[in-house]
Amino acid sequence: MSSSSLLDVSALADSVSCRVIVPGDSDYDSARAGFNGMIDKRPAAIVLIASDADAAAAIAFARQHDLPLAIRSGGHSAPGHGCCDDGIVIDCRDLQLAEVDDKTNTVRVGSGLTWKQFDAATQAHGLAVTGGRVSSTGVTGLTIGSGSGWLERAMGLTSDSLSGARVVTAAGVSLDTDDDPELLWALRGGGGNFGVVTELRFQLRRLGPTVHGGKRFYPIERGVEVLSAFRDVMMAAPKELCGGLAFLTAPPAPWVPEGVRGKAVVAIIVVWAGDPNEGTAAMAKLEALGEPLVDHIGQVDYAELQQVMDPGAPAGHRDYFKGGFMHNLSDEAVREIVALGEDMRAPLTQIICAPLGAHTTYATVGEDHSAIGHRDEEWSFQVLSLWADAAQDAEQKGWTRAAAERMSSYSDMVSYPNFLTADEAADVEAAYSPTAMARLRAVKDRLDPDNVFRINNNIAPSGSLTRGDVPPAAGSPDSYAVSA
Ligand SMILES: Cc1cc2nc3c(=O)[nH]c(=O)nc-3n(C[C@H](O)[C@H](O)[C@H](O)COP(=O)(O)OP(=O)(O)OC[C@H]3O[C@@H](n4cnc5c(N)ncnc54)[C@H](O)[C@@H]3O)c2cc1C
């Protein structure tokens, strides 16, 4: 019998104004499930918070009973950080506020929104921010863990546009970042380490609802030629030419000709984020990529374009990610990525190459604004393995790790926090510069010295660290190691 079934959560249910789901409830299994089918955790209670007071009560209960505490918004965490065994899950899904102010081009959202809901609300006003590439992903987890998306060349990472938030701390206090600018800085990439985010505010930019953009597919046999040409076009293009290139299996969608469905292809996804009158001319440079198998570039609905990868990302599949940056995309790196694209072992696995570049908004964001560095890198890439069958877990994870190993000749394989997976706990330190990590740790020490919020890419508070247990991270003489 698990300890969760022995715990009396009636006091918790009495202390909140919202629903608490417990083992045995008809929706317990659906409520504890996240995107990644490999994660099978059984919490003692899932608290569907409706207010800051509910979050504070759930935190207090978890602390009082010394229980693990997880926070969930969109449920897409690959390592399953949105759930826990035998503890309390604070589930933000019901926080559905979406209030756009088109005088200031800002939006105030509850932390339960997915990107599909966010885009629907903001596109109604012709406004956007860099959003996730799969529309079912949660706005909150993606934003506070960095936020890479098609628009990042023009608009920066999602977290770069975060202009405010409300957070319930480990002490149960509601803090607004207007009163704590250092917390706002930490939330731009420092993840769920500082408290339960109940509301987010973003500075938006004019874009859509119709944009010049779309997708084209090319045969994988032309991978080296297409990726090289895409690199040359994107590195010379203005920052308003946004998008990425993906190795994937053509889906059985109505817009894919029958002979192409199920075939390995190189896809480009592009969006012109500048003056709509200049979109056609900007896209003309892409003709250098030659004749496509599928050609869907023109005037498209931005919100629909944001859902173009959705058919390749069904919830409940098993996923495992590796990612990194490339300072430049050399011809050798192009050949290696294409070889990996040709070698992908599961039909839903993808490799995404995202152009950044020196003259982009992404590159201009400094450490004074964001906890996320890597702003001088020209490319990021992610190997996103997705498969259905549990029997393939070892093989698929092994292939993904081997892919990362092969790419390590061209990349330091340091990733955005959002693409860290469970076996990479040590890499959390490497995801930030030593200066940013020290600053994040200072916020953690102030707001969560007992590490109540530790089921995440954890920034351990100083009190739980000892000097010298492991060698310090490169370039960081003052690095600490987490004590066992
Ligand atoms: C199919 C798929 C596509 C993806 N695409 C992208 C992409 O395009 N760009 C990108 O950058 N990332 C992407 N990711 C990674 C994704 O951004 C992270 O997994 C992110 O954590 C998911 O956020 P969530 O709210 O959906 O997840 P959850 O599992 O709900 O939360 C993950 C973690 O975020 C923190 N968190 C969530 N909500 C709160 C809150 N209210 N308060 C405090 N902390 C909170 C917690 O630490 C929590 O454990 C993708 C992941 C998947 C599975």
Side-chain angles (χ1 to χ4, degrees):
M1 183 181 280
S2 81
S3 55
S4 63
S5 50
L6 298 174
L7 183 74
D8 180 3
V9 293
S10 55
L12 171 60
D14 289 345
S15 67
V16 294
S17 63
C18 62
R19 184 148 176 247
V20 177
I21 299 174
V22 293
D25 284 352
S26 60
D27 51 355
Y28 175 73
D29 284 334
S30 59
R32 72 187 176 87
F35 180 89
N36 187 352
M38 254 188 306
I39 309 296
D40 182 23
K41 296 180 183 171
R42 304 186 66 82
I46 301 167
V47 186
L48 290 166
I49 63 166
S51 65
D52 285 16
D54 290 340
I59 294 166
F61 184 85
R63 296 194 73 171
Q64 190 186 350
H65 295 274
D66 201 16
L67 296 172
L69 181 64
I71 314 172
R72 175 199 166 112
S73 286
H76 271 50
S77 163
H81 286 154
C83 202
C84 60
D85 276 323
D86 302 323
I88 305 299
V89 174
I90 294 184
D91 189 326
C92 302
R93 263 179 285 197
D94 285 351
L95 299 179
Q96 286 288 316
L97 170 82
E99 214 174 73
V100 177
D101 181 341
D102 48 17
K103 290 191 186 66
T104 55
N105 293 352
T106 53
V107 67
R108 198 160 74 91
V109 295
S111 56
L113 259 61
T114 62
W115 282 104
K116 187 172 186 175
Q117 295 164 324
F118 183 100
D119 286 341
T122 52
Q123 280 292 284
H125 300 263
L127 293 165
V129 73
T130 301
R133 297 186 181 97
V134 171
S135 75
S136 54
T137 312
V139 169
T140 305
L142 182 137
T143 300
I144 62 180
S146 52
S148 168
W150 304 130
L151 293 174
E152 63 204 0
R153 277 167 55 93
M155 301 190 186
L157 295 173
T158 316
S159 52
D160 296 339
S161 298
L162 183 68
S163 57
R166 214 175 57 241
V167 176
V168 181
T169 67
V173 173
S174 284
L175 263 186
D176 195 292
T177 56
D178 283 354
D179 302 317
D180 192 335
E182 190 65 3
L183 175 58
L184 176 59
W185 175 86
L187 289 172
R188 294 189 182 127
N193 275 286
F194 313 106
V196 180
V197 176
T198 52
E199 178 187 301
L200 300 161
R201 301 186 291 276
F202 292 92
Q203 184 63 55
L204 305 169
R205 296 172 195 231
R206 291 258 149 232
L207 182 111
T210 303
V211 291
H212 199 90
K215 56 197 176 289
R216 278 183 184 152
F217 288 3
Y218 302 86
I220 190 110
E221 295 75 22
R222 292 191 44 224
V224 169
E225 180 196 343
V226 172
L227 179 51
S228 305
F230 186 67
R231 169 195 64 193
D232 297 343
V233 169
M234 294 309 279
M235 288 304 107
K239 66 181 181 184
E240 289 82 5
L241 188 57
C242 294
L245 179 146
F247 294 89
L248 47 83
T249 305
W255 46 268
V256 179
E258 232 164 79
V260 180
R261 292 178 197 171
K263 289 214 155 75
V265 296
V266 187
I268 60 158
I269 293 91
V270 280
V271 192
W272 174 250
D275 180 341
N277 299 320
E278 294 168 10
T280 314
M283 296 279 167
K285 307 252 178 1
L286 296 171
E287 302 312 322
L289 277 62
E291 190 66 28
L293 294 170
V294 171
D295 188 358
H296 284 264
I297 289 187
Q299 296 293 311
V300 298
D301 184 83
Y302 169 73
E304 269 177 35
L305 186 59
Q306 276 295 95
Q307 293 164 34
V308 73
M309 305 301 265
D310 287 7
H317 273 54
R318 314 170 84 79
D319 67 89
Y320 191 77
F321 301 162
K322 293 281 179 189
F325 294 94
M326 286 177 289
H327 200 58
N328 55 50
L329 182 52
S330 65
D331 290 342
E332 293 76 22
V334 167
R335 281 195 288 276
E336 190 68 88
I337 294 175
V338 173
L340 283 174
E342 288 170 337
D343 189 44
M344 291 189 315
R345 300 292 167 85
L348 293 177
T349 291
Q350 299 178 357
I351 300 173
I352 293 187
C353 302
L356 302 167
H359 53 287
T360 61
T361 301
Y362 171 88
T364 60
V365 175
E367 266 199 8
D368 53 335
H369 183 79
S370 164
I372 304 292
H374 315 290
R375 304 297 176 146
D376 58 349
E377 306 282 3
E378 287 194 344
W379 291 82
S380 77
F381 70 96
Q382 289 91 38
V383 181
L384 308 169
S385 290
L386 204 67
W387 65 99
D389 184 358
Q392 290 185 358
D393 287 356
E395 181 198 341
Q396 296 294 341
K397 286 161 96 174
W399 181 84
T400 317
R401 288 195 199 105
E405 187 59 38
R406 282 166 67 173
M407 285 309 296
S408 63
S409 303
Y410 311 100
S411 162
D412 54 11
M413 295 309 295
V414 168
S415 181
Y416 292 121
N418 274 348
F419 296 103
L420 293 176
T421 40
D423 59 346
E424 288 175 325
D427 289 356
V428 175
E429 291 274 338
Y432 306 95
S433 76
T435 315
M437 182 47 102
R439 204 168 151 186
L440 288 167
R441 185 156 282 135
V443 181
K444 181 76 172 177
D445 287 349
R446 177 163 60 87
L447 297 179
D448 186 19
D450 299 327
N451 212 5
V452 172
F453 304 109
R454 60 180 173 275
I455 302 176
N456 47 35
N457 289 323
N458 196 232
I459 295 162
S462 306
S464 67
L465 302 171
T466 54
R467 271 176 199 275
D469 280 2
V470 295
S476 172
D478 283 322
S479 289
Y480 291 86
V482 181
S483 57

